[in-house]
Amino acid sequence: MTPVHFSFSAAFILGLMGLAFHRTHLLSALLCLEGMMLSLFIALSMWSLQLESMSYATTPVLLLAFSACEASAGLALLVAATRTHGTSHLQNLNLLQC
Amino acid sequence: MNPYVLMILISSLGIGTTLTFMSSHWLLAWMGLEINTLAIIPLMAQQHHPRAVEATTKYFLTQATAAAMILFASTTNAWMTGEWNIQQLSHSPSTTLVTFALALKIGLAPMHFWMPEVMQGLDLTTGLIMATWQKLAPFAIIYQISSTTNPTLLTTLGILSTLVGGWGGLNQTQLRKILAYSSIAHMGWMIIILQFMPKLTLLNLMIYIIMTSAMFMMFKYNNATKINYLTLTWSKSPVLATLTMPMLLSLGGLPPLTGFMPKWLILQELTKQNLAITASIMALATLLSLFFYLRLCYAMTLTLSPNTTNTSSTWRIKSPQMTMPLATISTLTIMLLPITPTIFSLIM
């Protein structure tokens, strides 16, 4: 495992752990998702840089475009949840439990 | 919702699934999954009430996490082996991670907690899309990686989700939650056979989609969301109420009906592989599911509503809803078992 591989894996797993265990605000969950996506961006761009393959040079940008769409959908949901529930705490999302 | 926007969203749903179906490259498959998720989010949140927004948020968080995990696993595989093809996922930790991510996406047992809550927050039409169309894209990937995944993991996931699906549904009175738990149980049956005969997974998925669409359409026709609404359906449409009983028993997998076909073939294949204990556990776990389907049957056909009913039947106004799809699909739900050999030879 190269140092680059280790660092982006560690960044991704830290983001995943944050998403799974740190559950107070919706915004922090979205930030963790974005962190995971950025570590994947590093991974893809490093892969195409190391292999010097032209055909893979566009993949990081495609990933970034999709993660931007995802982040904007997440922020829209943050606004919607704040308007309907009053807060953005994830604890308040409990209407559907049984 | 604006019809143009609706058209864009529906076609994006189609495009996402098609992209995942067509792709052999992990990045394109991931893009298809993401398009699918992003396209259904406005459909879920269009009734802007708190439950819908909550369900949408939960769905978004789980699906985005699962998609990111899939891409992370495939990137790790590419770093280790230099291979982006879906069918050549040979690095073993990334195979396990992909299996877990796909299980989170379709709601298999240890990762199923989002499924009933999300289903409860949606209206029945979006719930229908959620239970059928949204399962297709993940299953396209699961089918392709079936030869490289860890067999023990698949067996564990399968048995666990059949048990949890049966057990969780026992306590519910809300129809959409019951259908969500039934979906979890059926997913368990699909996963248990994946390593031995992936074609049977597809057959089970097809039959499950037919049966669950029939149930959703029936609930939509009667506007039923709780068990006690079902007790009034006989006065609305007696024939449909009678027809629903075999539909529910078919979902539970009783012999002369369609739902028995995948269970029969799967149990036969498991027995052929000398896995009699696994087969017995699966068959017994389905009895739990059968109990709550039977409870729905009981509420529909054998009891009266606790309200005072002044008339024995309500005024028959012609329903504006389309009944042709419901008629077709409920016939398929009930009467497909005699042509099992034809379907089996078609899919093999």
Side-chain angles (χ1 to χ4, degrees):
Chain A
M1 189 180 261
T2 57
V4 180
H5 190 179
F6 174 75
S7 50
F8 83 75
S9 302
F12 184 87
I13 289 168
L14 276 178
L16 192 62
M17 290 294 155
L19 187 61
F21 296 120
H22 181 69
R23 292 176 292 190
T24 43
H25 287 91
L26 184 52
L27 187 61
S28 59
L30 293 177
L31 279 173
C32 285
L33 264 179
E34 200 58 25
M36 286 154 72
M37 282 302 178
L38 288 180
S39 75
L40 288 176
F41 173 75
I42 300 280
L44 277 176
S45 45
M46 279 301 170
W47 197 78
S48 57
L49 274 180
Q50 280 195 353
L51 269 75
E52 293 178 355
S53 73
M54 279 303 285
S55 57
Y56 279 93
T58 51
T59 51
V61 186
L62 289 173
L63 176 96
L64 214 54
F66 270 85
S67 78
C69 293
E70 206 178 71
S72 65
L75 287 175
L77 280 174
L78 175 70
V79 174
T82 315
R83 285 174 68 100
T84 50
H85 286 72
T87 69
S88 70
H89 284 74
L90 283 178
Q91 256 187 345
N92 285 51
L93 298 181
N94 55 6
L95 294 175
L96 298 167
Q97 288 170 358
C98 43
Chain B
M1 187 180 273
N2 190 334
Y4 297 112
V5 177
L6 189 66
M7 194 193 73
I8 288 175
L9 292 177
I10 299 278
S11 51
S12 301
L13 265 184
I15 284 171
T17 307
T18 317
L19 192 58
T20 313
F21 269 41
M22 288 190 336
S23 55
S24 59
H25 192 284
W26 274 109
L27 192 78
L28 272 175
W30 173 79
M31 278 180 193
L33 293 174
E34 286 283 313
I35 292 174
N36 236 340
T37 309
L38 290 175
I40 202 168
I41 278 174
L43 289 177
M44 293 167 78
Q46 60 177 330
Q47 282 96 13
H48 194 254
H49 53 70
R51 280 174 296 122
V53 171
E54 186 181 324
T56 318
T57 312
K58 285 177 177 172
Y59 185 71
F60 171 78
L61 285 178
T62 47
Q63 298 295 310
T65 315
M69 277 166 71
I70 289 173
L71 194 63
F72 175 67
S74 52
T75 317
T76 310
N77 186 52
W79 270 81
M80 285 299 182
T81 63
E83 186 57 65
W84 276 104
N85 200 317
I86 294 183
Q87 293 184 339
Q88 289 168 352
L89 190 70
S90 45
H91 185 225
S92 127
S94 44
T95 320
T96 312
L97 194 58
V98 162
T99 315
F100 271 113
L102 287 167
L104 177 60
K105 234 176 184 347
I106 59 174
L108 278 174
M111 284 80 76
H112 69 283
F113 292 98
W114 61 274
M115 182 90 187
E117 302 186 2
V118 167
M119 205 67 110
Q120 182 60 32
L122 306 178
D123 61 338
L124 287 165
T125 320
T126 323
L128 172 65
I129 298 177
M130 180 69 86
T132 58
W133 186 255
Q134 293 297 93
K135 300 266 191 275
L136 289 178
F139 264 99
I141 301 180
I142 290 177
Y143 182 70
Q144 290 184 67
I145 65 165
S146 62
S147 56
T148 55
T149 40
N150 187 355
T152 322
L153 179 63
L154 285 182
T155 312
T156 317
L157 283 176
I159 291 181
L160 211 59
S161 38
T162 319
L163 275 171
V164 164
W167 213 344
L170 291 180
N171 205 13
Q172 301 298 330
T173 54
Q174 304 276 345
L175 293 177
R176 283 168 290 184
K177 281 198 176 180
I178 287 181
L179 282 177
Y181 279 111
S182 121
S183 152
I184 294 169
H186 278 95
M187 293 296 141
W189 278 89
M190 290 172 214
I191 292 301
I192 196 97
I193 199 64
L194 185 70
Q195 46 190 325
F196 306 115
M197 205 188 242
K199 297 272 170 59
L200 276 184
T201 304
L202 292 189
L203 176 92
N204 197 354
L205 182 65
M206 196 177 77
I207 302 285
Y208 166 71
I209 284 177
I210 290 174
M211 292 189 301
T212 202
S213 339
M215 288 320 294
F216 269 105
M217 283 181 191
M218 198 279 298
F219 291 150
K220 174 82 185 149
Y221 186 81
N222 288 315
N223 283 324
T225 51
K226 295 196 198 81
I227 288 187
N228 57 357
Y229 290 4
L230 285 182
T231 53
L232 279 174
T233 47
W234 64 272
S235 63
K236 265 188 180 172
S237 163
V239 181
L240 189 58
T242 318
L243 210 58
T244 307
M245 193 192 75
M247 270 152 63
L248 279 165
L249 295 181
S250 173
L251 206 57
L254 285 190
L257 305 162
T258 307
F260 181 57
M261 180 206 302
K263 294 198 166 50
W264 186 17
L265 295 172
I266 287 173
L267 287 179
Q268 186 203 18
E269 184 62 34
L270 283 178
T271 321
K272 269 188 199 163
Q273 305 278 350
N274 286 326
L275 290 169
I277 297 177
T278 314
S280 322
I281 292 176
M282 293 297 283
L284 290 176
T286 310
L287 289 180
L288 291 169
S289 308
L290 189 63
F291 183 77
F292 60 78
Y293 298 132
L294 276 177
R295 179 188 284 157
L296 292 188
C297 287
Y298 181 72
M300 281 200 78
T301 49
L302 293 176
T303 51
L304 285 178
S305 160
N307 318 331
T308 4
T309 42
N310 295 323
T311 54
S312 60
S313 61
T314 47
W315 188 258
R316 302 274 174 82
I317 309 164
K318 191 170 163 31
S319 170
Q321 301 183 40
M322 278 197 300
T323 47
M324 193 60 205
L326 175 57
T328 319
I329 214 152
S330 53
T331 316
L332 288 180
T333 306
I334 296 168
M335 303 207 291
L336 225 51
L337 189 67
I339 59 163
T340 304
T342 319
I343 295 178
F344 195 65
S345 59
L346 267 182
I347 216 159
M348 282 305 137

